[in-house]
Amino acid sequence: MGFPAVRHRRLRQSVGIRGLVRETVLTVDDFIQPIFVASGTGVKNEISSMPGVYHFSLDTLEEEVKEIVELGIPAVLLFGIPESKDSIGSSAFAEEGIVQQATRKIKSLYPDLLVVADTCLCEFTDHGHCGMVHTYERDGHVCGDVLNDESLDLLVKTAVSQAKAGADIIAPSNMMDGFVQAIRAGLDEAGFSNIPIMSYSVKYASAFYGPFREAADSAPQFGDRKTYQMDPANVREALREAESDVQEGADMLMVKPALAFMDVLRMLRDQFDLPLVAYNVSGEYSMVKAAAQMGWINERAIVTEMLLGMKRAGADIIITYFAKDAARWLREGK
C-alpha cells in the first residue's frame, strides 16, 4: 500500500501531533555542565574563545553552582587550573588540589548535585601531556615519549584523591592503555568500590579541542597527543578501545568529540548496553557561539538540533557547555 492511502504528512499537521509521535526527547536530566575552577580569589574571568564560559575561583564558585542547581542540571564536570605545575602533575592528586577543594565545597553546599571529576594530568603537568614523559633533545628540539605504565600509578592516586574529596563519579580522560583497570583496582583497594567510572573510552586526537586548551591551560609544550589519543580516521579501533574498557570495569562509556563522530556513538550504542556519554566539546560550542554572535544562525535551534542528534545517535548523557542554555530553553518550552 502506498500513496494516496499512505500520507506521511498526516503525522506532521500540528504541534500536538508532532509532539505525540516525537521519537527523541531532550530533558534537563541528560546534561552535565563542565566547570573550570582556578586558583586565587575573586576570579570570574570569561574565557575569550568560549563566550559565556568562565574561570571561577573557590570564592566565586557558589554563584555558578547555585544557578546550575536551580536550573535542575543534575551534574557538573570539574576541571582544575592549579597555582603551580610540575613534571608529574602532583597537584592533580594533592589533598588540597584545586579540584579536591572545589569538590568538597560543592558537596557541602549541594550534597545532591553530582560531581564528576575529570581524571587526567594535562592541566597539572608543566609539559601539558596526560602522563609522565621521558624527554630528550633531537636536532635542537625538545621531544618526549609519554610513559604509559608509569603514568597509571599517578592516575590512580588522582582518582583516589578525588573520591576521598567526595567526587561521585571518576571520569578518566587520559587514554593510557589499562587506565580503567588500574583505576578500578585502586578505587576498590581504597574502599571506593561503589564509585563508578565514566571512561573517556573513545577520545580522538581532534582539532575541536582548541578552545578547551585555552580554558584549561593544557596545550602540550612539545609534540602532540596523537600517540595516545585516537586517529579521527578510525572507527573499528573505537570498538576495540570501548571493549577493553568494558572488560576492565568501566561503568559508562564516552565518545569525544560528539558532533563529527555520530557514527561512533551509534556503533557503541549497538554493541554495548552500558550508559553512553557524548561530549559536546569546546570547538563545537565556540563555532556555534561565533556564528550566532554574527547573526548567521539561530543559536537555540542549532543547539537543540545538535543535542537531539547526539541523543538520536545513542547518547544517554551529554556533557555540554550549552547545558545551562539548553535547560533554560527546555523550561521556556514548557
Side-chain angles (χ1 to χ4, degrees):
M1 183 184 299
F3 180 83
V6 175
R7 291 181 180 268
H8 299 293
R9 289 181 57 190
R10 291 185 188 121
L11 299 183
R12 305 172 192 156
Q13 292 307 300
S14 69
V15 172
I17 291 176
R18 291 193 296 272
L20 191 66
V21 301
R22 185 162 292 128
E23 300 171 25
T24 306
V25 178
L26 286 172
T27 77
V28 71
D29 289 329
D30 298 329
F31 303 139
I32 296 175
Q33 173 72 51
I35 300 179
F36 296 96
V37 187
S39 300
T41 57
V43 176
K44 184 182 177 182
N45 298 329
E46 189 171 32
I47 297 160
S48 63
S49 58
M50 299 180 70
V53 179
Y54 293 80
H55 290 132
F56 297 95
S57 53
L58 291 170
D59 59 317
T60 63
L61 183 60
E62 183 173 354
E63 180 184 353
E64 173 73 356
V65 177
K66 182 175 184 287
E67 182 181 16
I68 289 167
V69 169
E70 288 176 347
L71 286 167
I73 297 167
V76 295
L77 173 62
L78 290 186
F79 296 100
I81 297 89
E83 187 173 4
S84 61
K85 305 186 180 194
D86 58 33
S87 62
I88 63 170
S90 59
S91 56
F93 48 82
E95 183 177 348
E96 293 303 314
I98 188 63
V99 170
Q100 289 78 359
Q101 291 186 68
T103 300
R104 288 193 292 268
K105 176 156 190 170
I106 291 170
K107 296 304 288 187
S108 70
L109 293 168
Y110 299 101
D112 293 332
L113 180 66
L114 294 173
V115 172
V116 184
D118 179 80
T119 306
C120 196
L121 302 177
C122 61
E123 300 132 73
F124 305 94
T125 54
D126 52 15
H127 47 72
H129 282 284
C130 302
M132 289 181 64
V133 299
H134 166 65
T135 58
Y136 53 92
E137 191 171 302
R138 176 183 294 163
D139 298 328
H141 300 286
V142 176
C143 303
D145 298 320
V146 177
L147 305 175
N148 191 94
D149 296 11
E150 294 86 344
S151 299
L152 296 180
D153 292 337
L154 300 179
L155 294 165
V156 170
K157 291 175 69 173
T158 301
V160 170
S161 73
Q162 292 168 339
K164 286 181 177 177
D168 298 285
I169 298 170
I170 298 300
S173 60
N174 53 87
M175 288 297 284
M176 297 296 112
D177 288 335
F179 70 93
V180 172
Q181 178 177 293
I183 289 172
R184 181 73 274 159
L187 289 171
D188 291 354
E189 184 178 345
F192 296 107
S193 59
N194 289 326
I195 298 290
I197 295 175
M198 177 190 287
S199 174
Y200 286 65
S201 300
V202 181
K203 183 178 180 180
Y204 286 92
S206 172
F208 283 96
Y209 302 150
F212 176 89
R213 290 179 179 171
E214 177 198 349
D217 188 25
S218 63
Q221 297 304 299
F222 56 84
D224 54 40
R225 296 184 176 138
K226 293 180 180 179
T227 63
Y228 46 103
Q229 295 178 0
M230 281 182 50
D231 184 341
N234 293 354
V235 63
R236 295 191 302 273
E237 183 184 3
L239 186 60
R240 298 197 299 272
E241 285 279 2
E243 192 167 31
S244 292
D245 287 0
V246 172
Q247 292 171 351
E248 292 177 18
D251 300 283
M252 304 176 226
L253 305 176
M254 187 191 301
V255 174
K256 179 183 182 183
L259 196 58
F261 298 94
M262 297 284 202
D263 59 324
V264 181
L265 277 167
R266 172 45 56 188
M267 182 184 69
L268 263 61
R269 175 75 293 143
D270 291 343
Q271 293 292 326
F272 305 106
D273 59 6
L274 291 178
L276 183 59
V277 185
Y279 199 140
N280 178 208
V281 300
S282 60
E284 298 165 357
Y285 173 88
S286 296
M287 289 191 305
V288 171
K289 284 291 185 182
Q293 288 180 354
M294 293 298 294
W296 295 337
I297 59 170
N298 179 322
E299 181 179 349
R300 177 172 176 169
I302 290 285
V303 172
T304 300
E305 193 170 324
M306 285 169 49
L307 299 180
L308 276 171
M310 292 166 200
K311 279 205 73 176
R312 195 179 62 249
D316 302 292
I317 301 162
I318 303 173
I319 300 170
T320 177
Y321 303 97
F322 289 113
K324 291 194 299 180
D325 291 333
R328 291 189 195 95
W329 296 331
L330 287 170
R331 183 172 291 181
E332 292 167 7
K334 294 177 183 177

